[in-house]
Amino acid sequence: MSDSSQSLTLLAPVAGLVVPLAAVPDPVFAGLALGEGIALDPLGECLHAPCDGEVVQCARTHHALTLKTDAEVELLLHLGLDTVALQGQGIEPLVGVGDRVRAGDPLCRFDADALARGASALITPLVITEAAGWRLLPSARAEGERVACGDPLLVLIPAGVESAEESATGPLAERCLTLALAAGLHARPAARLRAIAREHGVGLTLQQEPATDGAESPSASAESLSALMNLGLTQGTALRLTARGDNAEAALDAAEVLLTTPEAEEHAAPPPQAVPGEALGEALGEGELAGLVASPGLALGPLVAYRPPLPAVPHDGAGEAVEAPRLNAALARVAEALDAAEAQARRQGQEAEAEIFAAHGAWLADPDLLAAAQERIRAGRGAGQAWREALDAEAARLEATGNALLAARVADLRDLQRRVMAELSDAAEPGLPDIPEGALLVAEELTPSELVAVAARRPAGLCLAGGGTTSHVAILARARGIPCLVALGPALLAAVDGSPGERAILDAERGRLVPAPSEAQRAEVAERIEARRREADAARAAAFGPAITRDGREVEVCANIGGAEEARLAAEVGADGVGLLRSEFLFLARDSAPDEATQRGEYQAALDALGGKPVIIRTLDIGADKQLPYLRLPAVPNPALGVRGARLWASHPELLETQLRALLGVTPLDTLHIMLPMVSEAGELRRVRERLEAIASELGLAARPRLGAMIEVPSAALCAASLAAEADFLSIGTNDLTQYTLAMDREDPALTARADVLHPAVLRLIQATVDGAAGRCPVGVCGAAASDALAAPLLVALGVDELSVEPARVPAVKAVLRRLDAAALAAELPELLTLDDATAVRERLNAWLARADATPDTTTTTTLERC
Ligand code: PEP
Ligand code: MG
């Protein structure tokens, strides 16, 4: 097992091109007479400290300098070759003997032109002249590689300890891919990547593909969450993954699925807002503060400041022998608490929370964070203080990236900082300050743990000076339905002090906080809150009833789910059934396909949860953006147009066979609906029906499930009549239908805004489907359009019989449909379908619905409210 927790990383003292020491044109350096190391051909004009330490030697001629670290490692920095002859000309020293420096501090400035004229070369060796008890790892830097000042250059580890990469032996495998995660490589997927490396026992590194100028990009080991996140990888980045170990290929398969599968949008962030309030064309009133909506809603209550101090810990330590084990023990206790919290959250079905605890656990074990704390312990700090400083430094680094996603992770670091310090503090835990129920809690930042703790006091809302809409705190607030504004700015805390006890308005619909509202404003907001409450109560109560439009059309509102767990949720919110169970979720995140019994158990549990309501289970939909690690499909130039969905059965009949047998094993069969994805012609459906019949007869079954097809490609929509002759039902997958109709990749962020289901071409194909199926079989919609505030009424007007949406949206969609006069909207169709583009349809539809009061004007309501 590797242990790099006490490693010492040396940073590049200057931007430059890497020169291996053996290639330096000077026999003293090249022959390693002074020690091992590396050299840089500088591109900058200032040398910086490669690590913390003390300056123990400075050449009189300023061209060389020796640093000694607290761990007694000595480093020589030699500016250029034969520079002694310059007698200090062109070099300005910035430190002297005895000065203590921190990594990155400037050491000397130089005039590169002057040095180049007088010296034989500017190549600057960094040599480890003394390192008893330490071992230098082979450099990961290639000759000629360009590094930025401060990039990690060399790593020393205690002799006798193996590095993560060294401890992994076996074959080396490499994979290139494009990151699909909408929020980039943030803490949760980084934690999962680390888990994949561990589960497969491989050393896994990740690197951004070289830029077009050929410059090498930094790489990070999957062991270090900080290093992974510091790569700052965003959606669409091309990556290279390297794995070493016997299971290298399997690890890469799993990592590829993780990094190329877009995340589910559970508790997804509200759409980004530039400056709230401004976007609505409203000026800020006096004393009002503008913020970003992290969790929508409205609240009225007294502002209560939350400023808990960090647990008190001794600044100075009793030496490494005492403090290092104390730190390790504290880390182990926190890790145990996080494991327990994760397990409890999973038991309670709080997946978002469980994922956050898992990510914190992985981050806690980050070798880079440990190394940074250990280094401070060696410098004389107490364990708690060392941890505090190490995490302060990491937080500062994340904030300095200027990347909002990384900065949003600072609250998670603060959480780990506080938890570990609390373990190392002798002082009694301060406990939660007095937070009255119904208060608006005001804080600079909140950590996820603090949010969980304060949520128990039932605050009416949260107002944060910092934070972002994608932070874990935002996710938790949304999951708990607590209105929350973030990024309110430093004026926030002054606002609390300025209006103690007064009831303020938190308007997380319009993105503003009104600390001292007038009585009239309070009354207006109280009325809005009451109206929202009535609407929500009514929607919840009515969710169990049918959705019948004003003109008497009954539309089934079902749920899209990923498995049995969500089926229970669907039943709880009043879904009329399941319109799409994506069975591929059962096949993901495992090393081999689930066997017949496992599949049957999951399908049966979903049916049981719905208690007799219809359940549509889609057969495995794999290919293009959805891949299985154990089912490698041949690489083809255009996988979205390749063998995927129902086309897969010709090459992998055993997968279909097992799945059909598992499905035929459930009871009662008359509530089961089997649906085939990516069907393009009736023959595909016919062949599966034949197989289904054969197995059912072989099993001696009297009942048969219904068999239907998805309409996801234009050919299926245009040939709906022939499909409907074979099918018991059709369901339109508007996500794929939109992509294939408009020839716009659903994965391409550059096209997201234009790949709109309301494009008249897509609407005409939906109309063709409904017309083709008329009188033969019912038609549903299970793509995202079914829960779009504008598209849902239009789909019903087009004649679809069923909408299948995220479970949480069932009540709201039913409420929208009950306000709709479908026949009146249908009368608008001829005009809507001849418009030029989706934008025109949206505008016209929005105006019509607002006039007809079928749905609120979408420019003034939040996504969650709309549907
Ligand atoms: C669709 O394409 O609309 C659909 C529901 O299938 P998926 O999103 O799973 O491809
Ligand atoms: Mg699809």
Side-chain angles (χ1 to χ4, degrees), residues 434-734:
D434 196 19
I435 305 167
E437 188 175 327
L440 298 179
L441 202 73
V442 172
E444 184 66 46
E445 278 276 7
L446 270 189
T447 69
S449 305
E450 285 168 338
L451 184 133
V452 172
V454 298
R457 302 285 169 90
R458 304 170 66 86
L462 303 173
C463 320
L464 304 184
T469 56
T470 58
S471 69
H472 285 152
V473 165
I475 293 173
L476 292 175
R478 286 195 288 276
R480 287 174 155 68
I482 306 176
C484 174
L485 284 183
V486 296
L488 282 156
L492 173 65
L493 291 154
V496 197
D497 300 332
S499 25
E502 289 205 49
R503 282 199 314 154
I505 293 171
L506 170 66
D507 189 340
E509 289 178 353
R510 296 197 169 108
R512 60 196 47 211
L513 176 72
V514 191
S518 65
E519 270 317 315
Q521 282 175 306
R522 283 195 191 113
E524 188 254 335
V525 167
E527 218 167 90
R528 275 165 66 202
I529 292 174
E530 186 50 30
R532 299 281 182 279
R533 198 189 53 72
R534 278 198 305 269
E535 276 169 24
D537 285 354
R540 252 194 306 277
F544 287 85
I548 301 177
T549 61
R550 276 194 202 164
D551 54 322
R553 285 254 323 271
E554 179 164 347
V555 183
E556 271 183 55
V557 180
C558 296
N560 285 354
I561 61 172
E565 189 73 27
E566 285 179 280
R568 286 184 269 280
L569 199 63
E572 277 166 22
V573 295
D576 298 324
V578 165
L580 168 64
L581 184 155
R582 289 179 162 102
S583 71
E584 55 274 9
F585 284 175
L586 185 57
F587 288 69
L588 292 172
R590 46 201 314 152
D591 293 333
S592 58
D595 60 16
E596 191 184 316
T598 310
Q599 289 191 45
R600 189 184 313 118
E602 185 77 6
Y603 305 148
Q604 184 66 60
L607 254 66
D608 291 347
L610 267 296
K613 291 179 179 171
V615 174
I616 300 181
I617 299 184
R618 175 170 77 182
T619 54
L620 185 59
D621 183 20
I622 286 299
D625 53 312
K626 301 171 194 159
Q627 297 289 341
L628 292 181
Y630 45 86
L631 179 72
R632 294 223 62 76
L633 299 174
V636 289
N638 202 338
L641 302 181
V643 175
R644 54 169 302 196
R647 300 171 190 175
L648 201 67
W649 306 137
S651 55
H652 294 77
E654 72 291 348
L655 282 174
L656 176 67
E657 186 77 13
T658 312
Q659 189 163 29
L660 290 183
R661 283 179 184 278
L663 285 163
L664 286 171
V666 302
T667 54
L669 274 178
D670 54 358
T671 57
L672 174 68
H673 294 50
I674 299 177
M675 180 160 74
L676 307 184
M678 286 298 293
V679 170
S680 36
E681 60 209 17
E684 288 164 317
L685 194 62
R686 211 173 295 130
R687 282 188 287 281
V688 174
R689 180 150 341 246
E690 281 163 14
R691 226 18 247 147
L692 201 62
E693 270 305 316
I695 303 171
S697 313
E698 182 194 316
L699 297 173
L701 298 172
R704 297 286 184 273
R706 277 175 222 174
L707 182 66
M710 286 192 78
I711 304 292
E712 296 180 282
V713 296
S715 67
L718 294 170
C719 297
S722 107
L723 276 167
E726 292 289 337
D728 298 316
F729 64 94
L730 299 179
S731 182
I732 306 175
T734 46

